[in-house]
Amino acid sequence: YGKDVYELSLDEMATIAAMMVYPRPLKPTPSWERNVLRRSNYGLNLYRKLGDRYTRRLSKMGPHNELVG
């Protein structure tokens, strides 16, 4: 997207994550685009459902990824 990672929207982040599962082929097809969109929506729905739990856990992590407190 040509942006710093902190400037990406949730939709852009979800699309990038979906492309990790479905890498972009040399000649993208409509079915590939549908798969990426479906996976992106799945990731967004999970984030909306579980996002608070995940971000609260991250806020309790120390500098070496150990739980603090």
Side-chain angles (χ1 to χ4, degrees):
Y1 292 102
K3 300 178 183 179
D4 189 82
V5 69
Y6 298 104
E7 297 172 353
L8 293 172
S9 70
L10 275 178
D11 288 334
E12 291 167 334
M13 287 186 239
T15 300
I16 291 170
M19 290 174 74
M20 299 295 285
V21 176
Y22 297 106
R24 184 179 183 92
L26 292 176
K27 293 182 181 180
T29 62
S31 65
W32 172 81
E33 291 177 7
R34 281 192 306 274
N35 287 340
V36 170
L37 181 61
R38 185 180 68 240
R39 188 67 173 189
S40 175
N41 287 334
Y42 173 74
L44 284 172
N45 288 333
L46 274 179
Y47 179 77
R48 288 182 183 119
K49 183 177 178 181
L50 304 173
D52 286 342
R53 185 181 325 166
Y54 180 70
T55 53
R56 276 184 279 156
R57 182 177 170 91
L58 282 180
S59 68
K60 295 179 182 179
M61 299 294 261
H64 301 290
N65 291 333
E66 76 278 4
L67 270 173
V68 178

